[in-house]
Amino acid sequence: MATIGTPTNISQGSRTKGGIGESTLRPDGILKVTGEFAYSSDMWHEDMLWGHTLRSTVAHAEIKSIDVSEALATSGVYAVLTYDDLPTEVKNYGLEIQDTPVLAHGKVRHHGEPVALVAADHPETARRAAAKIKIEYVELPVITDEASATAPDAILVHEGRDDHHIGHVPHPNIVHRQPIVRGNADEAAERADVIVKGEYTFGMQDQAFLGPESGLAVPSEDGGVELYVATQWLHSDLRQIAPVLGLPEEKIRMTLSGVGGAFGGREDLSMQIHACLLALRTGKPVKIVYNRFESFFGHVHRHPAKLYYEHGATKDGKLTHMKCRIVLDGGAYASASPAVVGNASSLSVGPYVVDDVDIEAIALYSNNPPCGAMRGFGAVQACFAYEAQMDKLAAKLGMDPVEFRRLNAMEQGSIMPTGQPVDSPAPVAELLRRVKARPLPPEQQWLSAGQEADVRALPGGLSNTTHGEGVVRGVGYAVGIKNVGFSEGFDDYSTARVRMEVVGGEPVATVHTAMAEVGQGGVTVHAQIARTELGVAQVTIQPADTQVGSAGSTSASRQTYVTGGAVKHTCENVREKVLEIGRRKFGSYHPAWATAELLLEGGKVVTDGGEVLADLVDVLEGESVDVELEWRHRPTEAFDLRTGQGNGHVQYSFAAHRAVVEVDTELGLVKVIELAVAQDVGKALNPLSVVGQIQGGTTQGLGVAVMEEIIVDPKTAKVRNPSFTDYLIPTILDTPTIPVDVLELADDHAPYGLRGIGEAPTLSSTPAVLAAIRNATGLELNRTPVRPEHLTGT
Amino acid sequence: MRVNFTVNGRQQEADDVWEGESLLYVLRERMGLPGSKNACEQGECGSCTVRLDGVPVCSCLVAAGQVEGREVVTVEGLADFARQRAEHGGCATGACGTTLDQAKRWEARPSDSQTGEGSALSPIQQAFIDAGAVQCGFCTPGLLVAADELLERNAEPSDADIREALSGNLCRCTGYEKILDAVRLAAARQEEAV
């Protein structure tokens, strides 16, 4: 009989049933297992049309002409729109720099750029009509790497760019640049007994969320539009949509519909404006659902990167200095590239103490697919490189790789390369100790006593490519550091509205935020927070929409911290108001109303000594409390554009991995046997969800280690593998056992001491797997993903 | 064309079906059963898995015309399907699958289509919730149909059996560990119940 559950190490307990610290179940769980949960692609409206996007077949070209007449004449087609049909002078949008055209005008800058839109009565009609649109392109040379982008005669991807970054970059084809200089790396290098250099390549990863981009736009009677859509940040979408439509924001009512995963890929707009334009033009509801092929063109990817590193260390194992240069390819449009550069540079040293550093990170404009946010956001690429460097240094010094890391591990009070002190627990050495202390899985698991080899447990699996011959094992370690929340001075706030009243004889709390639930479990945690703060069993979570203030983005591991913080803060305010009502109604009956610290627990007002003063039903009878408040974490500041100094981050998150792999050296096939992880979460508000997030993040890191990559043809900048047949994500057969060890070292600055968790496990998973493959094969392996040809030298 | 088939025990008739439409499209857009998901429409991810005369298939790869006169079970009917299997003895051990006769004996009971209330969940559905195997949930319907079919023919699957049976279903959120937990849990509860 198999064991149930993965052993974890999380403390349990909370004063209120269903409150924080308990593994309460998802409120949307029943709907999701019965197929009744309404995802954005499930929306339906009477008299609904289907929208379709025509996308460029070339990466870089001038558009000489577009002829839509034949498409428009197709039976069942209601509208065909191009750039000329946009209703206002605002024709671009963007997260930070408004450089992304709603529909291409004059030029296309990447393969798959939207050029025209069709609305028809059947999705196939729309697709076939779009195929009849005639576009005349004059192809231009493609910019695909740093050399072609910064060549003296390079064509500018964006002529006449006028954003605020232009003054700080050496070439207009560079979106942003962030140097960090601290101490004197050249001088410090002279103290080094060993120096290692490395060049690393990180492939383009895709978020590959399962639910494709989709949504429904419904024109409203006041000339506005209602939009039901899967997104990560409703208010950010709204801010970008309104100017293009020429409508005031209050005429665009956005409601979050079910989101099938996000991982950063829904931070940028996809079909939002397109569906609204078609709905406003036709006067009918319009639904757009991307298929998987289109989804690969419909969202930004993780920046592929080249990383050049130099580290030095003394013979007793202390790091002397670090120099690095990180070149991120941002593709055709800026998206989140400036912030990704800020993260990559400021986290490029990793969770180590190095006083003397010389760092530069840049992001390019190119004709490759646009890149932006993805889980780990710039820290992932750096972690891959600095962890390889740590192993190289340890090997050169003849030291154990974990011991070498622990000698240099940062801790609370350490100083970041940006000069910022780490002012909360940083248990880097302890996380490494924990993954190392875990017993190793038994050797040659494919053999069980007296039986034939179970090929399913071998590299190559059911393909039956080996029975164990040529299979070698390796073990590798890695640890990473990720910032939590939006950095560099961003006003990173959230809003919560909480109502408390008596419904059906029970005290009930209602929580309304605009937080995008993308699967991470925010809706579960918000109810837990309300139960803890308000002492009620019944908590209703209202659907997220723009009728309440912004919650910020469901990204950067920030939602439980920031929107959770907003819910907590608002509940505390509601609690005070409830107690005021109680004092007014019942204060004369007991002196504790005026003198004691009062709590709400189990539907009652109690003193901190446990004495019950009143039932909440009696306090709230005939009254209700309704509060909406914004909440902010500690402010951050921008990094100096020359030195990189500044208190840019609000909190850090740490995870460590140990990977155990087996490699068939004859065929170059890898099987990851186990991927153990230890992470500090500050406080596990919902242990079950915490473990799920850590395992999911770990698996995305595994994917980029051994299989995931969008392949872009370097000659044409065309995407070669936009499908789940050719872009591989880990299946259950590719994914090993993932034992999770959770630490709870509270961050005193955060609500409940919690630490954002979603991204950190994605960082160290990849380099741990690479380290294990290197350990098994003795190969250097400076690129990810590792492919069979890298292991067999073919 | 017109297609007549049975979905979750109810006779259905779809009119004006274009010959290129998939079973997935007909279920989602014509039958009002969006539980089967449209994640790749290429047979690679398993999100649209349904049972066709008892056999798990990717409904995106089945042309609507192919289901004429046949029986389809989707995630919306999974709870009733599992309950009736239990009542009729089902297949407790060994690999036997669902016979056509068994599939045809089965009928859905009415339930509240908005909340799922009124119909008890199948053991695998409950186990997915209890084990934390649901995050964004987009892969969940396909995984449930595939896992339920596994447990029907193999009541005590090993981890390797579970991995093999679910290898056609992609999940991007969970890392699969809790999905394994859920199938183990459902199998253990099934064993206790016998």
Side-chain angles (χ1 to χ4, degrees), chain A residues 222-238:
Chain A
D222 65 356
V225 63
E226 293 171 32
L227 181 61
Y228 302 85
V229 69
T231 179
Q232 290 177 241
W233 187 357
L234 288 165
H235 288 78
S236 169
D237 287 6
L238 180 60

Side-chain angles (χ1 to χ4, degrees), chain A residues 461-545:
Chain A
L462 289 162
S463 302
N464 201 18
T465 49
T466 178
H467 287 248
E469 62 279 5
V471 173
V472 292
R473 173 178 279 208
V475 180
Y477 296 87
V479 60
I481 177 172
K482 175 68 185 58
N483 61 320
V484 172
F486 284 5
S487 299
E488 300 185 57
F490 194 89
D491 184 16
D492 194 18
Y493 71 94
S494 183
T495 316
R497 185 184 298 158
V498 178
R499 180 180 177 85
M500 207 166 160
E501 63 197 321
V502 175
V503 178
E506 291 276 323
V508 172
T510 304
V511 177
H512 188 189
T513 76
M515 178 206 65
E517 168 62 46
V518 303
Q520 84 280 18
V523 289
T524 323
V525 164
H526 290 177
Q528 292 178 264
I529 292 171
R531 285 190 204 104
T532 297
E533 298 301 328
L534 300 174
V536 295
Q538 297 294 324
V539 179
T540 302
I541 304 294
Q542 289 203 323
D545 56 32

Side-chain angles (χ1 to χ4, degrees), chain A residues 68-80:
Chain A
V68 303
S69 54
E70 203 180 327
L72 203 49
T74 305
S75 173
V77 168
Y78 284 72
V80 181

Side-chain angles (χ1 to χ4, degrees), chain A residues 3 26 31-33 36 39 41-42 122 128 206-207 210 292 456 696 699 708 725 730 732 735 738, chain B residues 18 21 28 37-39 44 113-114 125 134-137 144 161 163-164 172-173 175-177 184:
Chain A
T3 53
R26 299 185 66 95
L31 291 176
K32 285 182 173 175
V33 299
E36 304 287 351
Y39 293 90
S41 56
D42 301 335
H122 190 286
R128 291 182 177 195
D206 190 73
Q207 297 84 356
L210 266 278
R292 182 56 51 182
R456 296 179 296 190
T699 305
E708 290 187 40
T725 307
I732 196 168
T735 307
I738 307 173
Chain B
W18 168 64
E21 276 176 22
R28 289 176 54 80
K37 293 299 167 215
N38 53 336
E44 293 286 348
S113 66
Q114 292 307 304
Q125 287 170 316
V134 180
Q135 290 189 18
C136 93
L144 288 168
D161 294 336
R163 289 183 191 277
E164 188 177 342
R172 190 55 158 171
C173 295
Y176 301 106
E177 191 87 327
R184 294 168 187 147

